[in-house]
Amino acid sequence: MSKNRIRYFVDSFARAAFATAALLSVAILLGIFIMLLYNGAKTFEEVPLSAFFLSTEWNPSAYGEPAFGVLSMVASTLLVTLGAMIIAVPLGVGAAAYLSEVASEGVREVLKPMIELLAAIPSVAVGFIGIVLVGPFLSRTFGLSNGLNALNGSILLAVMSLPTIITVAEDAIRSVPQSFKEASYALGGDAWVTLVRITLPASASGIIAAVILGMGRAIGETMTVLMACGNATGFPAGFFSPVRTMTATIAIELGEVPFGTTHYFSLFAVGALLFVLSLGFNLIAERIAAHYRYTI
Amino acid sequence: MKQYLAIFCAALLMAGCQFAPEGVEHILIKGSDTEVNLALSLAETYMAKDAMVSIAVTGGGSGMGIAALINGKTDIANSSRSMKPKEIELAEAQGIDPTPIVFAVDALALVVHPKLPVGELSVAEVGQIYRGEIQNWQAVGGPDLKITIYGRQSNSGTYVFFRDSVLQADYASTLMQMNGTAQIVEALRTDRSGIGYVGLGYVLDKQRNAVEGIRILNIQPPSDSTALSPIDVDNIRNGAYPLVRPLFQFTDGPPEGKLLDFILFCLSPEGQRIVENSGYYPLSPRYRQYNKQWLDE
């Protein structure tokens, strides 16, 4: 075999291997979605669509009539995630701006690995902190009888999504061309004006991507919210209400649910709904990001 | 050399015989994880007395044990709850006749924060609180404070037992579904407005004192005018304390032969002592009467 033939063989083999790797993740994604939809759809043989999507009462293993309304847990998931983003976005973007624009190289080299280390804390440990630290703190600060509520979950999820937000946003801010900033300085802008009016808008698409990734982290987190949010199935009245999110519901109930029952299938329907929700957020984010993309 | 070999072979044969003599009966026990340690202690003690019986105990949960009984895969299904109508239906379709025998009693305690000035509740009041009909401690003689109700998660046998026997309706949607007994106790140590239910064994120490940081409520049975403390073991032994649940051994039809011998051993004074040493309670006369449907002691 000539050298060229070997090279040709290796090349085409590598091409096929990488294509398989790329397609594999698509296939897994589709496979999961189809499995969720296929099992979830069987719920609606017994439960009318309106009783699933428009009812706030979820109690599939009820003493009386079982109820399959997802509205309360969808609201709980959105509430906890919204709270987490309200806390994490200013902190995360601020930290990213500081790391890329303000901090000296030495400070950056110490801070960045430490922030990334935050992502390595197991979620069950974060949940434990929610029970023994954040919960009592909230109940003291706000005069509540206990601190197991949506706000507790939001605070913990904010901490958990910070590393994602900071890392991705920092990359985005650093990728803004130096010439943009020099132009701002040349026109008399100071560091603050340059950061807020030039650098941040120029990296908006990357920052939005960072926020969405952080949100994905928050919306799908299970163990932490299961431990810290109080798990009451009612519709949340606010951040001080105990809530049970979609993920927590699936985690709690899938373990003991009798196979092949409506309850079993309804948990897949909840999973499919969660999938569609986070897919929806991703698509919206893509649109927003595309809108803000600067062309150079 | 040949001699030694023969002796060795004989020894081997005898050893083999010791582990598997002719005519040994095997009994399989499967089910409730709560009861698995108790079932093991009972089985070990019984096997020491009767070399002709070998008993294997596995857990997996009450539901698993019942499913195994229905499929004919176990001789005894241990369960901390009664069988559901659907399960009985399934069993009958398989030609299995599930026979519930109560062999021990578990007690539940209602616990509150020690600083809450409420010492007793009636069973009816407990039901009203957990159904969400009473939402303030004032209604049961306490301070003007909103009640926070704590319970187990919906996959717990205790959750189902408490709902079916005390509430006889669904829980209020404000129920804080805690991830295990420890979390309920942990929450009540700090939450002055809370009430929660836990297995009695979990909140009593070896000397039968309430563990620090919580208060165990006295409970007034429906037919009684005084509230009874579960800390006093006699209230549970004589069946007066209301929040008790039977632990079952389900067999296929009334037990016979070695199976009957083993179950009678569990119900004997010696068996019931093992039950008590494992943190549960011996049968009250009511449950002895209940077993008479199937057993002649």
Side-chain angles (χ1 to χ4, degrees):
Chain A
M1 229 192 286
S2 74
K3 245 186 178 169
N4 270 338
R5 277 192 65 102
I6 294 171
R7 181 180 287 168
Y8 174 77
F9 178 73
V10 167
D11 270 6
S12 54
F13 177 77
R15 193 174 295 134
F18 286 123
T20 313
L23 285 177
L24 190 65
S25 56
V26 176
I28 290 172
L29 183 78
L30 276 178
I32 289 175
F33 189 50
I34 289 168
M35 189 267 289
L36 288 176
L37 274 189
Y38 176 77
N39 281 307
K42 291 184 186 160
T43 312
F44 304 106
E45 291 169 8
E46 301 264 337
V47 183
L49 282 171
S50 60
F52 186 78
F53 288 105
L54 299 177
S55 159
T56 56
E57 198 193 328
W58 173 268
N59 195 352
S61 52
Y63 184 79
E65 271 301 294
F68 293 91
V70 293
L71 221 49
S72 294
M73 64 172 114
V74 172
S76 301
T77 291
L78 294 180
L79 182 72
V80 173
T81 309
L82 175 76
M85 289 303 107
I86 290 174
I87 301 166
V89 170
L91 280 176
V93 175
Y98 170 78
L99 282 179
S100 58
E101 300 296 299
V102 185
S104 69
E105 198 59 29
V107 173
R108 215 178 80 86
E109 260 167 33
V110 177
L111 277 185
K112 201 153 183 216
M114 286 177 85
I115 288 166
E116 278 158 10
L117 217 58
L118 207 56
I121 302 175
S123 56
V124 66
V126 179
F128 187 67
I129 290 168
I131 292 173
V132 302
L133 229 67
V134 182
F137 167 77
L138 288 179
S139 78
R140 265 200 315 277
T141 313
F142 297 104
L144 308 167
S145 65
N146 66 79
L148 299 173
N149 52 34
L151 182 59
N152 192 335
S154 290
I155 292 171
L156 299 176
L157 290 185
V159 172
M160 294 179 79
S161 49
L162 268 179
T164 314
I165 295 178
I166 294 175
T167 312
V168 180
E170 201 231 345
D171 285 344
I173 295 171
R174 284 173 81 80
S175 69
V176 173
Q178 192 61 28
S179 57
F180 280 34
K181 296 173 212 165
E182 278 164 2
S184 167
Y185 290 130
L187 291 170
D190 56 20
W192 172 248
V193 167
T194 307
L195 176 67
V196 176
R197 303 283 289 275
I198 305 296
T199 316
L200 287 184
S203 55
S205 74
I207 291 175
I208 290 168
V211 171
I212 294 297
L213 281 175
M215 213 156 116
R217 178 89 181 86
I219 206 167
E221 177 50 45
T222 306
M223 199 59 205
T224 306
V225 287
L226 195 160
M227 290 170 79
C229 291
N231 294 326
T233 53
F235 195 85
F239 278 111
F240 292 146
S241 291
V243 296
R244 194 165 97 170
T245 63
M246 301 166 80
T247 50
T249 302
I250 296 173
I252 290 169
E253 295 185 2
L254 200 57
E256 295 272 328
V257 64
F259 177 81
T261 54
T262 306
H263 184 189
Y264 177 86
F265 294 126
S266 69
L267 292 175
F268 282 90
V270 172
L273 186 61
L274 187 65
F275 188 102
V276 170
L277 271 181
S278 47
L279 195 72
F281 282 127
N282 273 301
L283 290 178
I284 293 169
E286 292 267 329
R287 292 293 279 278
I288 297 174
H291 180 75
Y292 278 106
R293 195 156 286 144
Y294 271 60
T295 43
I296 306 166
Chain B
M1 185 66 201
K2 240 184 194 166
Q3 231 174 321
Y4 287 120
L5 205 67
I7 292 171
F8 179 72
C9 284
L12 207 66
L13 214 66
M14 277 166 70
C17 284
Q18 271 220 309
F19 287 117
E22 281 289 303
V24 163
E25 265 189 63
H26 295 276
I27 297 177
L28 294 175
I29 303 179
K30 194 170 171 60
S32 167
D33 283 323
T34 334
E35 299 163 41
V36 76
N37 286 331
L38 170 58
L40 259 177
S41 315
L42 286 168
E44 276 167 8
T45 316
Y46 184 74
M47 281 192 287
K49 294 155 99 54
D50 187 347
M52 299 306 279
V53 172
S54 146
I55 305 175
V57 182
T58 50
S62 300
M64 289 274 281
I66 290 170
L69 184 77
I70 293 171
N71 298 323
K73 296 240 168 72
T74 186
D75 301 303
I76 298 177
N78 275 348
S79 174
S80 56
R81 60 169 172 83
S82 346
M83 276 174 77
K84 298 172 187 165
K86 211 172 189 176
E87 288 168 336
I88 294 174
E89 223 172 88
L90 272 172
E92 279 165 1
Q94 300 278 334
I96 303 272
D97 169 29
T99 308
I101 295 152
V102 180
F103 75 110
V105 170
D106 187 18
L108 288 185
L110 276 159
V111 289
V112 296
H113 193 277
K115 289 217 173 116
L116 183 82
V118 173
E120 59 180 67
L121 291 173
S122 71
V123 172
E125 284 168 336
V126 172
Q128 284 171 313
I129 288 172
Y130 273 90
R131 287 193 299 266
E133 291 155 16
I134 292 180
Q135 297 185 344
N136 197 301
W137 282 110
Q138 236 169 2
V140 289
D144 180 12
L145 190 65
K146 205 173 166 305
I147 303 177
T148 311
I149 50 176
Y150 290 91
R152 294 286 300 280
Q153 283 168 353
S154 49
N155 58 6
S156 140
T158 316
Y159 171 99
V160 175
F161 165 76
F162 196 75
R163 183 189 69 188
D164 292 358
S165 64
V166 180
L167 275 67
Q168 293 171 351
D170 278 308
Y171 287 99
S173 69
T174 48
L175 176 76
M176 307 271 273
Q177 297 186 11
M178 308 301 279
N179 195 13
T181 304
Q183 265 203 34
I184 295 180
V185 173
E186 207 48 57
L188 287 168
R189 276 185 218 272
T190 54
D191 189 347
R192 275 189 202 200
S193 73
I195 181 168
Y197 56 81
V198 295
L200 181 60
Y202 195 85
V203 285
L204 289 183
D205 62 17
K206 285 239 159 62
Q207 283 76 45
R208 284 193 77 78
N209 297 313
V211 296
E212 218 167 296
I214 50 127
R215 171 188 293 161
I216 299 176
L217 290 179
N218 297 349
I219 303 295
Q220 182 192 335
S223 55
D224 215 321
S225 56
T226 48
L228 302 169
S229 166
I231 299 177
D232 182 354
V233 70
D234 288 331
N235 284 335
I236 298 167
R237 280 202 186 132
N238 63 24
Y241 180 74
L243 297 181
V244 291
R245 60 170 169 179
L247 303 180
F248 293 102
Q249 290 179 324
F250 283 96
T251 54
D252 175 17
E256 290 163 359
K258 292 285 182 196
L259 203 55
L260 179 64
D261 289 348
F262 171 65
I263 285 175
L264 288 181
F265 166 75
C266 296
L267 302 175
S268 72
E270 192 185 356
Q272 295 291 297
R273 251 198 312 281
I274 298 173
V275 164
E276 259 186 298
N277 289 338
S278 305
Y280 299 100
Y281 296 91
L283 296 191
S284 57
R286 189 180 129 216
Y287 289 119
R288 293 241 172 236
Q289 194 60 40
Y290 176 87
N291 283 343
K292 283 232 166 78
Q293 296 174 70
W294 300 282
L295 295 176
D296 279 325
E297 276 184 66

